[in-house]
Amino acid sequence: MNSSIQKPNNPLMPVLFVGHGSPMNAIETNEFSENWRTIAQTLPKPESIVCISAHWQTFGTKITAMPLPKTIHDFGGFPKELFDVQYTAPGNPKLANDICQKLGTFGIEPDMHWGLDHGCWSVVRCMYPQADIPIVQVSLNRNLSGIEHYNLAKEFMFLRKKGILILGSGNIVHNLHLIEWDNESGTAEAISANKKIKDLIRTNNHLALMDYQNLGNEVIKGINSAEHYLPLLYILALKQANEKITFFNDKLMMGWLAMTSVLIQ
């Protein structure tokens, strides 16, 4: 873990993109889950969490608005211990409705059916094990382009002023079709794709990151389908000029899976 991470003095709540990787990270003690715990200790305790997860895609933008979101086990082939996990954090219907009203021109609609998928709870269970922080999830609208996702995300700035943590959860490089199960690192192409995206993040070249389809063959191959990449844009859109970027969990696994995570504060 980067020991230089300190509690922020910025009045804005930090924003966080997490490479969530395998759902097993929720119940294993490993370098990734331990760093999620450490990061949480450096942050002010959030009033609520707004999570944009790779695992909730819809036509139109939805936001969970139920008082008690269910724990969704949206995966297969894992041990019973993982399916037994229930993350019982409350929802925040008032916050959900406030967001719908504030962003009315974007057509965000409340949702009473989804809950917390593993892109969300596998991470926040490690960060906030007491499950005492209200959470809402915002879906990824399949109808939007990269720049449209980015522009929607900019409207969430008012939440940072209210002590609300905006959490994007996906993976910068994520191609399950090319996974090498016995590879404990990344392929040369995947490492190159991850580095190219990190370099653009460092230089605040958000326009290029929105237009990710034109970043070269290794990036196209690394992103494969966009849902694990798009949550990153929601975090970058909220970066202010004077804020610092910190990378952590910056490691590739199984050839084509980057755990690289980004803290902005």
Side-chain angles (χ1 to χ4, degrees):
M1 190 66 206
N2 188 334
S3 60
S4 67
I5 294 177
Q6 298 176 353
K7 290 183 181 293
N9 295 318
N10 192 333
L12 294 176
M13 190 72 183
V15 289
L16 183 64
F17 171 82
V18 171
H20 64 246
S22 167
M24 289 298 291
N25 291 323
I27 59 173
E28 292 179 346
T29 299
N30 57 39
E31 61 185 296
F32 309 122
S33 61
E34 286 298 299
N35 284 342
W36 296 340
R37 291 185 181 93
T38 301
I39 281 288
Q41 293 167 8
T42 74
L43 302 178
K45 186 173 181 179
E47 296 294 327
S48 287
I49 297 170
V50 172
C51 180
I52 302 94
S53 165
H55 292 280
W56 190 24
Q57 298 181 78
T58 57
F59 292 100
T61 305
K62 313 288 186 183
I63 185 167
T64 55
M66 68 287 291
L68 296 172
K70 62 187 175 184
T71 303
I72 302 173
H73 299 89
D74 50 333
F75 42 70
F78 292 95
K80 182 177 181 297
E81 181 185 4
L82 187 59
F83 287 91
D84 287 342
V85 172
Q86 296 294 318
Y87 189 72
T88 57
N92 192 332
K94 182 181 184 304
L95 175 61
N97 289 323
D98 287 349
I99 292 172
C100 289
Q101 291 180 13
K102 182 86 171 177
L103 279 64
T105 57
F106 289 87
I108 299 180
E109 298 178 350
D111 177 272
M112 301 299 290
H113 303 290
W114 188 246
L116 305 179
D117 60 54
H118 83 268
C120 178
W121 65 258
S122 68
V123 176
V124 295
R125 183 175 187 265
C126 297
M127 294 179 68
Y128 303 108
Q130 294 182 337
D132 58 346
I133 300 173
I135 305 176
V136 301
Q137 275 198 226
V138 176
S139 71
L140 290 171
N141 185 345
R142 293 177 183 268
N143 296 323
L144 301 184
S145 65
I147 192 168
E148 288 170 326
H149 281 289
Y150 184 91
N151 288 337
L152 169 59
K154 278 190 168 297
E155 300 299 318
F156 293 162
M157 179 58 71
F158 77 101
L159 299 171
R160 295 190 66 189
K161 300 174 183 177
K162 295 177 177 287
I164 294 169
L165 176 64
I166 301 172
L167 171 68
S169 178
N171 294 96
I172 288 176
V173 172
H174 181 273
N175 191 332
L176 295 185
H177 298 292
L178 299 175
I179 284 294
E180 302 172 1
W181 297 103
D182 296 328
N183 190 344
E184 295 184 1
S185 60
T187 66
E189 283 182 292
I191 291 169
S192 175
N194 196 53
K195 181 181 184 301
K196 181 177 285 190
I197 292 169
K198 286 194 302 174
D199 287 345
L200 292 170
I201 293 171
R202 286 191 185 97
T203 57
N204 297 310
N205 192 342
H206 295 179
L207 189 60
L209 291 162
M210 287 183 261
D211 190 26
Y212 57 90
Q213 299 97 329
N214 290 308
L215 287 179
N217 290 335
E218 72 273 33
V219 172
I220 292 172
K221 196 171 177 180
I223 291 176
N224 183 41
S225 58
E227 77 282 348
H228 277 74
Y229 175 81
L230 290 172
L232 173 67
L233 297 183
Y234 280 77
I235 303 312
L236 297 180
L238 294 167
K239 182 183 180 295
Q240 302 300 285
N242 61 339
E243 289 189 300
K244 178 184 175 183
I245 296 167
T246 303
F247 294 100
F248 66 99
N249 282 351
D250 191 13
K251 184 175 181 178
L252 277 89
M253 306 286 294
M254 297 183 288
W256 287 92
L257 182 68
M259 296 299 292
T260 305
S261 302
V262 185
L263 174 65
I264 296 173
Q265 60 182 6

